[in-house]
Amino acid sequence: MDTKAYHNEQEKAAFERDLRMREKDSIEVNESRLQHQWYHNFKYVIAGFLFGIVFIKAEIVSWFRIQEMFRLQSFHMYGIIGSAVVTAAISLWLIRKYKVKTIYGEDIVVNVKPYNKGIVIGGLLFGVGWAITGACPGPLYAQLGTGATVIFATLLSALAGTWVYGLVREKLPH
Amino acid sequence: MIEMLSKPWPWYVAGPLIGLTVPFLLIIGNKTFGISSSLRHMCAAIIPAGISYFKYEWKKEIWNLLFVGGIVLGGIFAVTKLANPQPLEIDQNLKSELATYGISDYSNAWVPADIVNWQSLLSLKGFFFIIVGGFLIGFGTRYANGCTSGHSITGLAALQWPSLVATICFMAGGFFAANVLIPFILKF
């Protein structure tokens, strides 16, 4: 674990520019000033692995369960989302109150997303896609894991959707 | 133990576990829980095509790609090692309505095999459920700057009002699609 060192001012400026660029619209930008060995990233595979098991075992990624939710025929999904939000909210409150640090001793920062019109328009479009496929992006990956290889086509189409958004975003209302 | 884990997990077990993902990712590496960004990072890695939205050092967000890779592996593990021997139980009204559309295959509890399969890909229904649905997920989540994980879980838990707006819009779009659009398409 070394503190990041810049070779010169240009490199530092390029780094800061890149960081701002990602901060513009992505929330996953917490740039650690610490550099770790590659295998430190392995912990995210494990986190995803456990998360994927919950997705499958609670049937959150089932197209049928999603239809039930949107037709108000089952409480299951509402219970899951509601209790997940409450658990996460209490966790964040505890992290703030006790100034919990990361395992590397850094201050924990939660990125916030500013409001723009895209939240409404994009949100409605995504909601339609969520009901049609029975999956939001996370569940798509888990559905792929169930052996339904055709979901690979859904994922490619989702990539295409993301790419087209990137292409036309300057022309869209935000 | 395995027998207990193999049964479908109730919401009051699964919900808190999902909620705990938020502090878990923050503590192990200061990462804000969000999944749809992985699609953007893949675009940046594979086909940036000079588009400014994809010009950034995606390798710095590699954790997100490893996380979703882990989700695929978790899915494989859960369906092979923790498989539920019982068929999926869903609401009877839904089941009988779906049967009128010819959807009665529950062999895969997660994907409706009758309409979502490689053969149906070139039919109207298959195209709608596979390609149109996927495109809306990719386009909509980036336009809204987040999906269920980033807005509805992380954002709501952090008491961010834009995330509440996003969640209401997700639900509104979903209600419309599930009650109007999808039955309309399935009747074809």
Side-chain angles (χ1 to χ4, degrees):
Chain A
M1 199 191 296
D2 313 306
T3 305
K4 185 167 275 177
Y6 301 105
H7 293 105
N8 54 45
E9 281 302 308
Q10 279 91 350
E11 195 178 321
K12 186 174 181 199
F15 172 80
E16 298 288 349
R17 198 164 51 240
D18 184 61
L19 186 59
R20 275 197 304 277
M21 176 62 209
R22 280 179 294 143
E23 255 165 354
K24 204 168 145 194
D25 18 43
S26 161
I27 58 155
E28 294 77 8
V29 287
N30 281 356
E31 179 66 49
S32 174
R33 297 296 163 133
L34 307 169
Q35 281 185 326
H36 307 299
Q37 294 295 318
W38 62 271
Y39 54 76
H40 279 257
N41 276 323
F42 192 67
K43 58 188 188 267
Y44 299 112
V45 180
I46 296 170
F49 180 78
L50 298 173
F51 194 65
I53 293 176
V54 181
F55 265 174
I56 293 290
K57 291 317 297 175
E59 296 167 347
I60 299 162
V61 306
S62 168
W63 183 87
F64 302 99
R65 285 262 174 271
I66 300 298
Q67 304 310 310
E68 276 183 341
M69 167 176 75
F70 285 131
R71 288 156 168 257
L72 298 174
Q73 290 165 325
S74 165
F75 173 74
H76 187 71
M77 287 297 301
Y78 294 100
I80 287 178
I81 297 175
S83 58
V85 171
V86 171
T87 310
I90 294 171
S91 308
L92 290 180
W93 180 75
L94 288 172
I95 284 174
R96 281 186 192 132
K97 184 168 162 74
Y98 294 102
K99 300 196 170 49
V100 176
K101 304 226 186 255
T102 69
I103 52 173
Y104 303 112
E106 292 177 290
D107 290 329
I108 285 179
V109 183
V110 179
N111 292 294
V112 296
K113 302 183 178 201
Y115 177 80
N116 67 57
K117 276 181 256 166
I119 286 194
V120 173
I121 309 167
L124 289 170
L125 292 173
F126 163 57
V128 172
W130 184 9
I132 293 174
T133 58
C136 22
L140 268 189
Y141 296 105
Q143 281 185 345
L144 198 58
T146 68
T149 53
V150 68
I151 298 301
F152 194 67
T154 313
L155 196 58
L156 280 183
S157 188
L159 274 178
T162 299
W163 191 84
V164 169
Y165 170 73
L167 186 69
V168 301
R169 76 186 295 247
E170 309 295 329
K171 300 187 184 76
L172 297 170
H174 275 92
Chain B
M1 183 71 179
I2 292 291
E3 197 181 326
M4 199 181 79
L5 289 175
S6 298
K7 292 203 179 99
W9 298 2
W11 64 265
Y12 50 83
V13 172
L17 284 176
I18 289 174
L20 286 175
T21 310
V22 174
F24 187 65
L25 287 174
L26 284 170
I27 289 169
I28 66 173
N30 228 353
K31 304 302 181 197
T32 305
F33 177 47
I35 296 177
S36 59
S37 305
S38 62
L39 297 169
R40 183 182 178 191
H41 304 326
M42 285 184 208
C43 283
I46 305 165
I47 33 171
I51 298 167
S52 66
Y53 190 62
F54 301 122
K55 269 194 244 168
Y56 58 93
E57 276 195 57
W58 62 271
K59 282 181 189 157
K60 286 183 179 165
E61 308 290 343
I62 195 95
W63 78 272
N64 200 245
L65 298 176
L66 292 169
F67 184 70
V68 300
I71 294 178
V72 177
L73 297 177
I76 295 171
F77 180 83
V79 294
T80 50
K81 301 291 178 196
L82 301 172
N84 177 18
Q86 304 297 322
L88 182 75
E89 280 176 38
I90 63 163
D91 181 77
Q92 273 308 321
N93 291 330
L94 178 64
K95 199 168 190 172
S96 33
E97 186 183 333
L98 289 178
T100 66
Y101 306 132
I103 297 175
S104 53
D105 184 349
Y106 292 85
S107 58
N108 183 324
W110 303 277
V111 178
D114 289 306
I115 45 170
V116 177
N117 57 62
W118 285 109
Q119 285 76 33
S120 74
L121 189 54
L122 295 174
S123 71
L124 173 78
K125 278 185 203 173
F127 185 80
F128 177 77
F129 283 99
I130 299 164
I131 305 299
V132 176
F135 190 90
L136 287 172
I137 291 179
F139 189 89
T141 52
R142 284 291 37 85
Y143 200 174
N145 198 12
C147 63
T148 334
S149 53
H151 275 310
S152 307
I153 296 181
T154 312
L156 286 186
L159 311 178
Q160 297 291 312
W161 70 266
S163 291
L164 180 62
V165 175
T167 304
I168 291 169
C169 293
F170 298 165
M171 297 307 290
F175 271 97
F176 166 74
N179 292 285
V180 181
L181 189 62
I182 293 173
F184 178 76
I185 298 284
L186 284 174
K187 274 175 200 147
F188 271 95

